[in-house]
Amino acid sequence: MGTYNGNRDSGLHGSWPPTGSSHPADGPSRVDFVSSDRFDDTPDLALGYAPLATSGVRPNKDEKLDDDGKAIRRGRMGGGFRLMLFSSFATLLLIFMLPLALGLPGKVDPWSIRSIANGDVNVTFLDANGDLLAHRGYRQEETVPLSEMPPYLVQAVLAMEDRRFYRHWGVDILGVLRAAQANFAAGGIVEGGSTITQQLARNLYLDGSRTFGRKAQEAALAFWLEQQLTKDEILELYLNRIYLGAGAYGVEAASKVYFSKSVRDLTVSEAALIAGLPKAPAQLSPAKDLSRAQDRAALVLEKLEETGWMTAAEIEAARAAPAVVDLEERSPDMRASYFVDWVYSRMPLFVDGPPRELVVETTFDPELQRMGEEALAATFDGLRSNANVDQGALVALDHTGAVKAMVGGRDYLESQFNRATQAIRQPGSAFKPLVYMAALQNGYTPYSGIVDRPVRINGWMPLNANKRYSGWMQMRNAIAYSVNTIAVRVGHKVGLDKVADYARASGITTPLPAHPSLALGAMGTKLHELTGSYVPLANGGFEAPAHGIARISNVDGEVLYERARTFVGAMPPPYRENNFGEEQVDEDATITPILNKVATSGDVQTMTKMLKRVISIGTGRKAALGTREAAGKTGTTNDNRDALFVGYTADLVAGVWMGNDDNTEMDRVYGGTLPAETWANFMTAAHEGKPERPIYKRIWVRPHPSQYQEPEPETDELPVVEAPVVPTYSALRGKLNGLSNSLAAAPTLQATAPESTQTRSRRMDRSVFRSRDD
């Protein structure tokens, strides 16, 4: 606690209000009126009595007379005034008696109280580089002495909250009387009349309930605080601890949050904005409603003008330059808000216990976030006027499922609803890779032939997007051109239960109904889960659920939660596969899987080849990244209500959704148009400067470091180095030799005339796919 000079009622460092302020001619030496935010500006004289006339007073014609004919004299104290007088007496009694009844301690050291948020948690978020990302929960900065705060900030707070602060004993009797009258008329607590001291007492020791008993405790504590601290100490403590919205406690924290500067550097208009927040910080916060906060700041300037504490020229200058809270320009806090909100909501899954200050290390990449927002904004800036699409979202993950960027909507200030993690929308054909993965796991190949023709299952008859059919085709072409009937046939033959099992294993948690339309993505899912389900296709078949938290620690450095190392494979020995995609491990090895395998490497590499054709020749041509290898799938739902593109490269997996919050139809917006273009723009920027790598190479697995470390010998004997075992593949060599011998003994085939193209019956009509992008 700082050192203060002067007696307790000396005012703000002996000079409050400022020299030159105007005062009523018959008023006291200090500005003397109640808080205009709760009451009017009637001076104390208004409650005095006008001189009574002693002669020449004629009785009213309606006055009642006694038995002697004399007028019955009525007291001049009406019922309302008697109520006010009684309330005043009761209040004074409570102020002096309650501290004894409550048994309050003899002294107070409120500065020693660390947690000021009534059980909330103060969380500092760091990005993947270890830099400050954002704060959530309560935020409190250093304590700023009253002498270092701008005088106009203190003036503004007093003008709005407690003009009579330096004249009352912790409870403003005039304010209490007026509040009591308003509450009595309303039949409940509608007006508090709390002074700054009372607000401080409530913030330090009480909850926010509005009952008569709680108000009595508040009054007693306020009177007690006035006996323990000076006026300046109370005001300084109040300004450093009052809640001012957006998780900020104290004027220093609010200055950092809203203006990215210290309270010492605030302008008059910025100080007025902060001074208007204590009444309703959650509703008036500029982070929620900037225009409303600016209107409130204008009211603060009006009150300052009424007090005369600032000149008219100073007020006009502040009005001419209102405070602007450009939240998107200050740090990555607002840019990361969708991501931080999502991570903050998931923290109870990993830590619990008493309130504390925590540090959360996240997977967030600010540069990728900037690129994602710019790509989405560019799409909407170039949007044709009749497209009828209002919202979009984007998620980017690495091959371990770590979320690197998350754009939950076009503008966080306009809507905090996260369309990447909260919106449950149909994925459409973007779900088909999961259907075909289940098919690959059950005997299908990219060259399996299926007939594209009308299909009816239990009365349900799906149609292709262009309402045409092309006959027989290979499964790899069916996914490239997003043929609905074939996806339904494959899903039905493989089994919807197997499709659902693979989808859940790959990261989908929303319900998956066992209806044939599941094969067309006619169920709801979340964009970050759908994008996460493509990660196993990119990383070799290992599960990699989307996550944003790497480590949680307290301020003392104690690790409370740490995500398991994201290495793939098994140990020991180093993980490897044979030519058929089968895992090869020593029979006597102790297998410790680090990440579960949801598909074999052979199957996911096959699916990747199929999804590369979607971009090269199919519905996702606008997602092409030039010579860089990419794979992905388009998705469009019925009546064009949702459009998506999800895809991946050797470095990144990303998904884009576009649609309307009210689920209305878009006009000619398909997964292969705007979402594919947005995805391509983002991925092009994200891969700038990176080498072009194939999605799969011969050795792609990153083993656990312990696989390369030899254990130390327990004796002095030297370890025996065994020669590596070289596989002979004798069985395969024998089959090849047998086949070669059979071919050599076979009779020579005679040449025949080439088959006429008119007689071929199993040919696909590719023209039907040229009329529409899925």
Side-chain angles (χ1 to χ4, degrees):
M1 184 163 58
T3 303
Y4 296 86
N5 300 320
N7 58 43
R8 187 166 53 87
D9 293 323
S10 63
L12 181 60
H13 304 286
S15 59
W16 191 263
T19 305
S21 298
S22 59
H23 304 282
D26 56 349
S29 60
R30 299 183 187 277
V31 176
D32 187 16
F33 38 83
V34 298
S35 172
S36 64
D37 192 43
R38 298 173 176 85
F39 319 106
D40 59 33
D41 295 336
T42 306
D44 293 345
L45 185 61
L47 291 181
Y49 305 105
L52 300 179
T54 57
S55 61
V57 179
R58 299 180 59 184
N60 189 286
K61 64 180 181 178
D62 295 328
E63 280 186 330
K64 294 185 179 180
L65 305 177
D66 60 12
D67 294 338
D68 297 332
K70 298 179 180 180
I72 299 176
R73 298 189 62 83
R74 291 173 174 264
R76 293 189 178 272
M77 297 197 316
F81 187 81
R82 286 196 298 270
L83 174 62
M84 295 172 67
L85 186 62
F86 174 77
S87 299
S88 177
F89 176 76
T91 301
L92 288 173
L93 183 64
L94 287 173
I95 288 175
F96 284 99
M97 297 301 296
L98 268 181
L100 299 177
L102 294 175
L104 298 176
K107 64 178 180 178
V108 60
D109 185 14
W111 298 101
S112 65
I113 301 175
R114 291 189 64 188
S115 179
I116 61 175
N118 295 326
D120 204 351
V121 178
N122 180 13
V123 185
T124 299
F125 292 91
L126 306 179
D127 62 23
N129 302 318
D131 298 326
L132 176 64
L133 181 61
H135 289 278
R136 285 295 185 272
Y138 77 82
R139 176 176 178 177
Q140 187 180 22
E141 299 288 340
E142 61 170 319
T143 296
V144 178
L146 197 63
S147 59
E148 297 182 14
M149 297 182 189
Y152 41 80
L153 171 65
V154 183
Q155 294 168 353
V157 172
L158 290 176
M160 292 299 291
E161 297 299 316
D162 191 356
R163 294 188 186 183
R164 292 171 49 85
F165 173 71
Y166 281 98
R167 290 189 54 79
H168 58 63
W169 296 341
V171 177
D172 187 355
I173 301 301
L174 180 60
V176 170
L177 294 178
R178 298 202 175 184
Q181 188 176 29
N183 295 334
F184 180 80
I189 300 291
V190 295
E191 200 168 278
S194 295
T195 64
I196 282 179
T197 313
Q198 287 176 274
Q199 293 181 51
L200 179 62
R202 179 172 63 247
N203 292 338
L204 290 177
Y205 303 109
L206 304 174
D207 56 31
S209 59
R210 297 171 63 86
T211 63
F212 288 104
R214 185 65 67 191
K215 296 298 293 182
Q217 285 183 299
E218 179 185 295
L221 286 167
F223 178 74
W224 174 61
L225 282 175
E226 291 273 350
Q227 312 313 307
Q228 306 297 319
L229 304 172
T230 68
K231 282 287 188 179
D232 288 353
E233 288 174 329
I234 291 173
L235 186 57
E236 179 179 317
L237 187 57
Y238 172 83
L239 291 172
N240 278 285
R241 301 183 84 84
I242 187 67
Y243 182 60
L244 295 169
Y249 284 79
V251 291
E252 178 71 2
S255 300
K256 294 285 184 64
V257 168
Y258 298 132
F259 304 111
S260 297
K261 64 172 68 173
S262 171
V263 66
R264 302 170 179 86
D265 304 321
L266 290 180
T267 65
V268 175
S269 58
E270 292 168 345
L273 187 144
I274 288 179
L277 299 178
K279 181 180 180 181
Q283 289 73 31
L284 297 174
S285 168
K288 181 176 183 180
D289 193 334
L290 179 58
S291 61
R292 190 175 179 185
Q294 290 176 331
D295 292 342
R296 179 74 173 174
L299 177 61
V300 173
L301 293 176
E302 290 181 14
K303 300 303 180 184
L304 273 174
E305 189 174 23
E306 292 174 6
T307 64
W309 292 344
M310 294 186 67
T311 65
E314 292 173 325
I315 297 296
E316 285 303 318
R319 285 175 177 156
V324 176
V325 184
D326 197 350
L327 296 175
E328 294 188 359
E329 290 298 321
R330 62 170 180 85
S331 70
D333 196 333
M334 291 306 298
R335 296 201 302 269
S337 291
Y338 285 116
F339 172 81
V340 173
D341 286 351
W342 172 63
V343 171
Y344 187 59
S345 68
R346 296 182 59 79
M347 283 183 59
L349 300 175
F350 309 111
V351 294
D352 55 11
R356 54 178 161 259
E357 297 183 62
L358 302 177
V359 178
V360 178
E361 300 172 44
T362 71
T363 61
F364 185 82
D365 187 325
E367 278 302 301
L368 289 179
Q369 177 72 16
R370 178 186 60 80
M371 296 172 185
E373 292 185 347
E374 290 177 353
L376 196 63
T379 297
F380 280 99
D381 290 342
L383 201 64
R384 53 187 171 82
S385 59
N386 61 342
N388 191 33
V389 52
D390 293 332
Q391 280 296 343
L394 180 148
V395 177
L397 305 88
D398 67 12
H399 286 194
T400 69
V403 176
K404 294 298 183 179
M406 178 180 289
V407 185
R410 295 179 64 183
D411 192 335
Y412 181 81
L413 294 181
E414 291 183 1
S415 171
Q416 289 78 52
F417 181 71
N418 192 336
R419 294 152 191 86
T421 62
Q422 293 176 285
I424 299 179
R425 307 292 292 248
Q426 292 184 1
S429 296
F431 186 78
K432 288 177 181 176
L434 309 186
V435 177
Y436 289 119
M437 274 300 301
L440 292 176
Q441 291 178 335
N442 287 272
Y444 280 76
T445 73
Y447 305 97
S448 296
I450 306 102
V451 179
D452 175 24
R453 63 184 180 187
V455 58
R456 184 186 300 271
I457 302 177
N458 297 330
W460 176 67
M461 185 174 179
L463 300 175
N464 289 328
N466 54 16
K467 299 181 176 58
R468 298 171 65 183
Y469 304 94
S470 59
W472 179 90
M473 69 172 61
Q474 295 174 342
M475 192 171 74
R476 61 177 187 151
N477 292 323
I479 191 172
Y481 298 109
S482 199
V483 181
N484 288 340
T485 58
I486 291 183
V488 171
R489 289 180 182 276
V490 170
H492 180 69
K493 291 182 178 180
V494 170
L496 296 177
D497 55 340
K498 295 179 180 178
V499 173
D501 288 344
Y502 177 77
R504 293 190 185 96
S506 64
I508 304 293
T509 64
T510 49
L512 301 173
H515 189 276
S517 62
L518 175 66
L520 302 182
M523 78 298 174
T525 188
K526 301 175 181 178
L527 179 62
H528 78 290
E529 291 187 355
L530 178 67
T531 306
S533 70
Y534 278 59
V535 175
L537 305 180
N539 71 10
F542 291 91
E543 68 171 358
H547 62 278
I549 298 176
R551 184 183 294 107
I552 302 176
S553 309
N554 59 25
V555 290
D556 298 324
E558 179 186 358
V559 177
L560 306 178
Y561 165 79
E562 184 173 13
R563 186 169 181 82
R565 290 176 178 264
T566 52
F567 296 105
V568 294
M571 53 176 271
Y575 171 83
R576 63 182 184 275
E577 295 180 354
N578 61 18
N579 292 342
F580 301 99
E582 298 172 346
E583 298 181 12
Q584 298 294 293
V585 294
D586 293 343
E587 295 181 358
D588 57 347
T590 302
I591 305 303
T592 305
I594 300 174
L595 288 179
N596 293 330
K597 206 102 187 292
V598 300
T600 66
S601 295
D603 286 344
V604 296
Q605 290 185 38
T606 299
M607 178 55 62
T608 296
K609 293 178 181 178
M610 295 167 66
L611 294 180
K612 285 166 59 179
R613 289 168 55 83
V614 173
I615 294 178
S616 62
I617 66 170
T619 58
R621 292 184 297 276
K622 291 185 178 180
L625 302 179
T627 58
R628 187 179 298 275
E629 190 173 285
K633 184 68 184 76
T634 57
T636 308
T637 63
N638 288 342
D639 301 320
N640 291 24
R641 300 180 189 274
D642 302 272
L644 305 95
F645 187 88
V646 185
Y648 52 95
T649 65
D651 301 290
L652 209 59
V653 184
V656 176
W657 167 88
M658 298 187 73
N660 296 309
D661 287 338
D662 59 3
N663 205 33
T664 54
E665 300 178 20
M666 297 178 289
D667 181 39
R668 291 175 294 162
V669 176
Y670 314 120
T673 57
L674 297 182
E677 293 172 3
T678 304
W679 185 90
N681 292 336
F682 166 70
M683 291 297 244
T684 299
H687 288 79
E688 185 175 356
K690 293 182 180 294
E692 294 186 2
R693 300 189 297 123
I695 298 176
Y696 285 107
K697 55 187 178 180
R698 188 169 186 83
I699 301 175
W700 60 269
V701 177
R702 179 173 60 173
H704 193 279
S706 63
Q707 297 179 4
Y708 295 114
Q709 299 174 0
E710 292 291 340
E712 297 182 1
E714 299 181 358
T715 66
D716 294 335
E717 297 179 4
L718 295 178
V720 178
V721 180
E722 298 180 359
V725 178
V726 180
T728 59
Y729 301 106
S730 57
L732 179 60
R733 182 177 289 108
K735 290 182 180 180
L736 292 176
N737 290 336
L739 180 60
S740 176
N741 295 334
S742 299
L743 291 174
T748 304
L749 297 178
Q750 299 297 325
T752 58
E755 181 184 5
S756 173
T757 55
Q758 284 78 15
T759 62
R760 298 182 63 181
S761 60
R762 300 178 67 184
R763 187 176 62 175
M764 180 177 65
D765 179 11
R766 296 176 182 269
S767 64
V768 300
F769 304 114
R770 298 172 185 165
S771 60
R772 169 167 179 174
D773 291 327
D774 179 48

PDB file of all heavy atoms in Angstrom, residues 714-730:
ATOM      1  N   GLU A 714      24.013 -52.874 -18.754  1.00  0.00           N
ATOM      2  CA  GLU A 714      23.999 -52.969 -17.306  1.00  0.00           C
ATOM      3  C   GLU A 714      25.299 -53.549 -16.755  1.00  0.00           C
ATOM      4  O   GLU A 714      25.559 -53.473 -15.567  1.00  0.00           O
ATOM      5  CB  GLU A 714      22.823 -53.847 -16.867  1.00  0.00           C
ATOM      6  CG  GLU A 714      21.477 -53.269 -17.284  1.00  0.00           C
ATOM      7  CD  GLU A 714      20.332 -54.135 -16.815  1.00  0.00           C
ATOM      8  OE1 GLU A 714      20.621 -55.183 -16.207  1.00  0.00           O
ATOM      9  OE2 GLU A 714      19.171 -53.776 -17.055  1.00  0.00           O
ATOM     10  N   THR A 715      26.152 -54.169 -17.606  1.00  0.00           N
ATOM     11  CA  THR A 715      27.434 -54.731 -17.166  1.00  0.00           C
ATOM     12  C   THR A 715      28.546 -54.094 -17.973  1.00  0.00           C
ATOM     13  O   THR A 715      28.320 -53.239 -18.846  1.00  0.00           O
ATOM     14  CB  THR A 715      27.450 -56.254 -17.355  1.00  0.00           C
ATOM     15  OG1 THR A 715      27.401 -56.547 -18.761  1.00  0.00           O
ATOM     16  CG2 THR A 715      26.247 -56.895 -16.685  1.00  0.00           C
ATOM     17  N   ASP A 716      29.736 -54.542 -17.707  1.00  0.00           N
ATOM     18  CA  ASP A 716      30.889 -54.023 -18.431  1.00  0.00           C
ATOM     19  C   ASP A 716      31.073 -54.715 -19.774  1.00  0.00           C
ATOM     20  O   ASP A 716      31.988 -54.374 -20.535  1.00  0.00           O
ATOM     21  CB  ASP A 716      32.168 -54.197 -17.599  1.00  0.00           C
ATOM     22  CG  ASP A 716      32.116 -53.334 -16.340  1.00  0.00           C
ATOM     23  OD1 ASP A 716      31.383 -52.324 -16.370  1.00  0.00           O
ATOM     24  OD2 ASP A 716      32.783 -53.701 -15.359  1.00  0.00           O
ATOM     25  N   GLU A 717      30.257 -55.725 -20.044  1.00  0.00           N
ATOM     26  CA  GLU A 717      30.397 -56.442 -21.299  1.00  0.00           C
ATOM     27  C   GLU A 717      29.943 -55.565 -22.454  1.00  0.00           C
ATOM     28  O   GLU A 717      28.966 -54.823 -22.349  1.00  0.00           O
ATOM     29  CB  GLU A 717      29.572 -57.729 -21.269  1.00  0.00           C
ATOM     30  CG  GLU A 717      30.029 -58.714 -20.204  1.00  0.00           C
ATOM     31  CD  GLU A 717      29.158 -59.952 -20.200  1.00  0.00           C
ATOM     32  OE1 GLU A 717      28.285 -60.050 -21.072  1.00  0.00           O
ATOM     33  OE2 GLU A 717      29.373 -60.815 -19.338  1.00  0.00           O
ATOM     34  N   LEU A 718      30.617 -55.674 -23.560  1.00  0.00           N
ATOM     35  CA  LEU A 718      30.235 -54.911 -24.738  1.00  0.00           C
ATOM     36  C   LEU A 718      29.012 -55.533 -25.377  1.00  0.00           C
ATOM     37  O   LEU A 718      28.900 -56.759 -25.445  1.00  0.00           O
ATOM     38  CB  LEU A 718      31.395 -54.892 -25.741  1.00  0.00           C
ATOM     39  CG  LEU A 718      32.660 -54.151 -25.276  1.00  0.00           C
ATOM     40  CD1 LEU A 718      33.747 -54.266 -26.346  1.00  0.00           C
ATOM     41  CD2 LEU A 718      32.344 -52.701 -24.988  1.00  0.00           C
ATOM     42  N   PRO A 719      28.099 -54.709 -25.839  1.00  0.00           N
ATOM     43  CA  PRO A 719      26.913 -55.265 -26.496  1.00  0.00           C
ATOM     44  C   PRO A 719      27.281 -55.953 -27.804  1.00  0.00           C
ATOM     45  O   PRO A 719      28.197 -55.528 -28.506  1.00  0.00           O
ATOM     46  CB  PRO A 719      26.033 -54.039 -26.748  1.00  0.00           C
ATOM     47  CG  PRO A 719      26.990 -52.890 -26.797  1.00  0.00           C
ATOM     48  CD  PRO A 719      28.088 -53.244 -25.824  1.00  0.00           C
ATOM     49  N   VAL A 720      26.572 -57.014 -28.104  1.00  0.00           N
ATOM     50  CA  VAL A 720      26.807 -57.752 -29.339  1.00  0.00           C
ATOM     51  C   VAL A 720      25.994 -57.101 -30.439  1.00  0.00           C
ATOM     52  O   VAL A 720      24.779 -56.945 -30.324  1.00  0.00           O
ATOM     53  CB  VAL A 720      26.406 -59.232 -29.181  1.00  0.00           C
ATOM     54  CG1 VAL A 720      26.625 -59.967 -30.502  1.00  0.00           C
ATOM     55  CG2 VAL A 720      27.235 -59.866 -28.067  1.00  0.00           C
ATOM     56  N   VAL A 721      26.673 -56.707 -31.509  1.00  0.00           N
ATOM     57  CA  VAL A 721      25.997 -56.084 -32.637  1.00  0.00           C
ATOM     58  C   VAL A 721      25.578 -57.166 -33.610  1.00  0.00           C
ATOM     59  O   VAL A 721      26.417 -57.875 -34.162  1.00  0.00           O
ATOM     60  CB  VAL A 721      26.921 -55.055 -33.325  1.00  0.00           C
ATOM     61  CG1 VAL A 721      26.208 -54.415 -34.510  1.00  0.00           C
ATOM     62  CG2 VAL A 721      27.384 -54.005 -32.325  1.00  0.00           C
ATOM     63  N   GLU A 722      24.296 -57.311 -33.795  1.00  0.00           N
ATOM     64  CA  GLU A 722      23.787 -58.339 -34.685  1.00  0.00           C
ATOM     65  C   GLU A 722      23.653 -57.783 -36.090  1.00  0.00           C
ATOM     66  O   GLU A 722      23.300 -56.613 -36.283  1.00  0.00           O
ATOM     67  CB  GLU A 722      22.431 -58.843 -34.193  1.00  0.00           C
ATOM     68  CG  GLU A 722      22.498 -59.498 -32.817  1.00  0.00           C
ATOM     69  CD  GLU A 722      21.134 -59.989 -32.379  1.00  0.00           C
ATOM     70  OE1 GLU A 722      20.173 -59.788 -33.144  1.00  0.00           O
ATOM     71  OE2 GLU A 722      21.047 -60.582 -31.301  1.00  0.00           O
ATOM     72  N   ALA A 723      23.914 -58.637 -37.049  1.00  0.00           N
ATOM     73  CA  ALA A 723      23.767 -58.226 -38.443  1.00  0.00           C
ATOM     74  C   ALA A 723      22.287 -58.035 -38.754  1.00  0.00           C
ATOM     75  O   ALA A 723      21.444 -58.805 -38.293  1.00  0.00           O
ATOM     76  CB  ALA A 723      24.375 -59.283 -39.366  1.00  0.00           C
ATOM     77  N   PRO A 724      21.945 -56.999 -39.496  1.00  0.00           N
ATOM     78  CA  PRO A 724      20.533 -56.794 -39.827  1.00  0.00           C
ATOM     79  C   PRO A 724      19.984 -57.916 -40.680  1.00  0.00           C
ATOM     80  O   PRO A 724      20.693 -58.490 -41.509  1.00  0.00           O
ATOM     81  CB  PRO A 724      20.555 -55.468 -40.613  1.00  0.00           C
ATOM     82  CG  PRO A 724      21.946 -55.367 -41.156  1.00  0.00           C
ATOM     83  CD  PRO A 724      22.835 -56.025 -40.135  1.00  0.00           C
ATOM     84  N   VAL A 725      18.733 -58.246 -40.426  1.00  0.00           N
ATOM     85  CA  VAL A 725      18.070 -59.304 -41.173  1.00  0.00           C
ATOM     86  C   VAL A 725      17.519 -58.720 -42.457  1.00  0.00           C
ATOM     87  O   VAL A 725      16.720 -57.779 -42.423  1.00  0.00           O
ATOM     88  CB  VAL A 725      16.942 -59.925 -40.330  1.00  0.00           C
ATOM     89  CG1 VAL A 725      16.224 -60.999 -41.148  1.00  0.00           C
ATOM     90  CG2 VAL A 725      17.510 -60.499 -39.047  1.00  0.00           C
ATOM     91  N   VAL A 726      17.959 -59.268 -43.589  1.00  0.00           N
ATOM     92  CA  VAL A 726      17.501 -58.783 -44.886  1.00  0.00           C
ATOM     93  C   VAL A 726      16.379 -59.688 -45.365  1.00  0.00           C
ATOM     94  O   VAL A 726      16.560 -60.901 -45.493  1.00  0.00           O
ATOM     95  CB  VAL A 726      18.645 -58.765 -45.912  1.00  0.00           C
ATOM     96  CG1 VAL A 726      18.135 -58.261 -47.268  1.00  0.00           C
ATOM     97  CG2 VAL A 726      19.792 -57.923 -45.397  1.00  0.00           C
ATOM     98  N   PRO A 727      15.182 -59.151 -45.571  1.00  0.00           N
ATOM     99  CA  PRO A 727      14.082 -60.004 -46.026  1.00  0.00           C
ATOM    100  C   PRO A 727      14.378 -60.580 -47.405  1.00  0.00           C
ATOM    101  O   PRO A 727      14.933 -59.908 -48.281  1.00  0.00           O
ATOM    102  CB  PRO A 727      12.894 -59.042 -46.070  1.00  0.00           C
ATOM    103  CG  PRO A 727      13.500 -57.675 -46.177  1.00  0.00           C
ATOM    104  CD  PRO A 727      14.796 -57.742 -45.439  1.00  0.00           C
ATOM    105  N   THR A 728      14.025 -61.836 -47.576  1.00  0.00           N
ATOM    106  CA  THR A 728      14.317 -62.530 -48.850  1.00  0.00           C
ATOM    107  C   THR A 728      13.111 -62.562 -49.774  1.00  0.00           C
ATOM    108  O   THR A 728      13.265 -62.720 -50.980  1.00  0.00           O
ATOM    109  CB  THR A 728      14.754 -63.969 -48.554  1.00  0.00           C
ATOM    110  OG1 THR A 728      13.708 -64.644 -47.848  1.00  0.00           O
ATOM    111  CG2 THR A 728      16.015 -63.979 -47.700  1.00  0.00           C
ATOM    112  N   TYR A 729      11.892 -62.412 -49.198  1.00  0.00           N
ATOM    113  CA  TYR A 729      10.683 -62.472 -50.009  1.00  0.00           C
ATOM    114  C   TYR A 729      10.678 -63.734 -50.878  1.00  0.00           C
ATOM    115  O   TYR A 729      10.384 -63.707 -52.086  1.00  0.00           O
ATOM    116  CB  TYR A 729      10.540 -61.241 -50.905  1.00  0.00           C
ATOM    117  CG  TYR A 729      10.500 -59.951 -50.142  1.00  0.00           C
ATOM    118  CD1 TYR A 729      11.592 -59.094 -50.135  1.00  0.00           C
ATOM    119  CD2 TYR A 729       9.370 -59.586 -49.415  1.00  0.00           C
ATOM    120  CE1 TYR A 729      11.576 -57.914 -49.420  1.00  0.00           C
ATOM    121  CE2 TYR A 729       9.330 -58.405 -48.695  1.00  0.00           C
ATOM    122  CZ  TYR A 729      10.433 -57.567 -48.694  1.00  0.00           C
ATOM    123  OH  TYR A 729      10.399 -56.413 -48.000  1.00  0.00           O
ATOM    124  N   SER A 730      11.059 -64.881 -50.265  1.00  0.00           N
ATOM    125  CA  SER A 730      11.173 -66.117 -51.031  1.00  0.00           C
ATOM    126  C   SER A 730       9.832 -66.558 -51.608  1.00  0.00           C
ATOM    127  O   SER A 730       9.760 -67.071 -52.727  1.00  0.00           O
ATOM    128  CB  SER A 730      11.761 -67.225 -50.139  1.00  0.00           C
ATOM    129  OG  SER A 730      10.946 -67.400 -48.992  1.00  0.00           O
TER     130      SER A 730
END
